[in-house]
Amino acid sequence: MMTAEEIQQAAASLEQAELTRQQVALLSQTYPSMDMQDAYRIQDAWVQRKIASGDPQVGLKIGLTSRAMQQALNITTPDSGVLLESMRIQDGEVIAADRFIAPRIEAELAFIMKADVSPNPSIYEVLNATDFVVPALEVLDTRVQRKDAKTGQARNVYDTIADNAANAGFVLGGKPIRVDNLDLRWIGAIVSVNGQVEETGLAAGVMNHPAQGLVWLAQRLATYGEAIRAGQVVLSGSFIRPLEAPPGTTITADYGSLGTISCHFAQG
C-alpha cells in the first residue's frame, strides 16, 4: 500500500500533466507497491484538488464494461471515475487543440438521475431512480503514458483508475428518453470519423444492459460510504472501441431515432 504522501505526490503529478499537457511516467512503475485501492485513492486526491479549485463534481463514469476491454487488461471488473463541470462539452462544439493531450472518443448512454440509488440496488431500482437517458460521447485522455518508452511496458488498470479512469470530457445531446419507453439494450450508434464510419455498437455490449453498470457502481461506491446521487450524470460505459481524435478530427455519432451528436477537434 502506498503512503499518504505518495498518494498526494501522484495526484499532483497528474494535475501537472494536465496543465502542461506532458504525460507522466507509469504510476505503476513509479510506485511498485500500488494496488487498486491506492489507484482509487490517487483518483480521489486528484478530484479533491479539482473541486477545491472551484470545479464541482457533476457525475460519474463507468469504464471497462465490455468483455473485450476487460480481457485486454486481464481484469474481471469495470472501473469508475468522476465527471467535473469543466469536462462538459457542448454538442457540436469545436474543441481547442491545446485542451487535451491524446484524446480518444467513446460512444455510450448517459443516465440522468432523479433520485439517489441505494447501496445494493437491483437493475429495476436503478431504472426507477433514472429521470432519462441521453446519447453521449466520452472524451478519454491519457495524463499517464500509455507505454513506457524504455521497457515497452503498457499501463495497467491501476494506472488507468488513478488517471480518473482516463476520463477528461463528455458530450450530451440528441433526444432524451424515459427508460420505460424503450429496451435500452437495443439502442445503438453508428460512429463516424471525418465522415467515414469507423464503429457501430449496441448498448447491450455494456454488461448485457447499460443499467447493470450502475448496479456495479452503486455497490462499489457503498464500500466508501458514497452513492449515486439525484441530479448526477452517469456515463454507463462505451459500446464501441476508443477512436483516436487527433487535431482536425470530427466525430459524429448517429443514434438513429435518438438523434446525432458530434464534436470537432481543432487543428493546432
Side-chain angles (χ1 to χ4, degrees), residues 40 43-48 50-51 55-62 79-87 138-139 143 161 163-170 217 220-221 232-235:
Y40 278 113
Q43 180 191 123
D44 183 63
W46 178 82
V47 168
Q48 293 309 314
K50 303 288 282 188
I51 292 173
D55 192 2
Q57 179 178 346
V58 296
L60 299 153
K61 71 145 284 183
I62 307 164
D79 67 0
S80 67
V82 171
L83 303 181
L84 302 168
E85 180 59 43
S86 64
M87 297 173 177
E138 180 178 2
V139 181
R143 290 155 288 247
I161 290 171
D163 194 16
N164 196 36
N167 175 263
F170 64 97
L217 179 60
R220 195 197 78 77
L221 291 173
Q232 287 187 326
V233 177
V234 183
L235 299 183

Side-chain angles (χ1 to χ4, degrees), residues 58-61 83-85 87-93 95 105-113 132-139 167 169-176 231-236 253 255 258-263:
V58 296
L60 299 153
K61 71 145 284 183
L83 303 181
L84 302 168
E85 180 59 43
M87 297 173 177
R88 194 187 301 271
I89 298 167
Q90 298 303 311
D91 184 12
E93 183 174 333
I95 300 168
I105 292 288
E106 292 182 334
E108 51 203 278
L109 292 177
F111 285 63
I112 313 302
M113 310 310 297
F132 56 89
V133 298
V134 65
L137 295 174
E138 180 178 2
V139 181
N167 175 263
F170 64 97
V171 183
L172 305 181
K175 177 184 176 183
Q232 287 187 326
V233 177
V234 183
L235 299 183
S236 59
Y255 283 77
L258 300 188
T260 298
I261 57 176
S262 67
C263 60

Side-chain angles (χ1 to χ4, degrees), residues 22 29 33 48 57 65 84 113 124 156 187 213 216 218 247 263:
Q22 297 293 318
Q29 282 191 338
S33 65
Q48 293 309 314
Q57 179 178 346
T65 51
L84 302 168
M113 310 310 297
Y124 306 107
N156 63 27
I187 294 177
W216 170 85
C263 60

Side-chain angles (χ1 to χ4, degrees), residues 90-130:
Q90 298 303 311
D91 184 12
E93 183 174 333
V94 176
I95 300 168
D98 62 354
R99 180 164 178 177
F100 300 115
I101 302 170
R104 295 181 294 165
I105 292 288
E106 292 182 334
E108 51 203 278
L109 292 177
F111 285 63
I112 313 302
M113 310 310 297
K114 64 182 179 182
D116 293 356
V117 178
S118 66
N120 189 28
S122 68
I123 192 171
Y124 306 107
E125 289 178 84
V126 167
L127 294 173
N128 283 335
T130 301

Side-chain angles (χ1 to χ4, degrees), residues 157-233:
V157 68
Y158 303 154
D159 294 296
T160 301
I161 290 171
D163 194 16
N164 196 36
N167 175 263
F170 64 97
V171 183
L172 305 181
K175 177 184 176 183
I177 62 165
R178 302 295 179 185
V179 295
D180 55 355
N181 289 344
L182 192 65
D183 184 346
L184 299 184
R185 298 174 305 152
W186 286 96
I187 294 177
I190 303 168
V191 186
S192 301
V193 177
N194 295 333
Q196 175 68 45
V197 173
E198 291 287 349
E199 275 290 310
T200 62
L202 288 175
V206 178
M207 303 176 74
N208 194 43
H209 194 295
Q212 191 63 46
L214 279 74
V215 171
W216 170 85
L217 179 60
Q219 293 169 341
R220 195 197 78 77
L221 291 173
T223 64
Y224 298 91
E226 299 292 337
I228 300 172
R229 302 294 184 187
Q232 287 187 326
V233 177

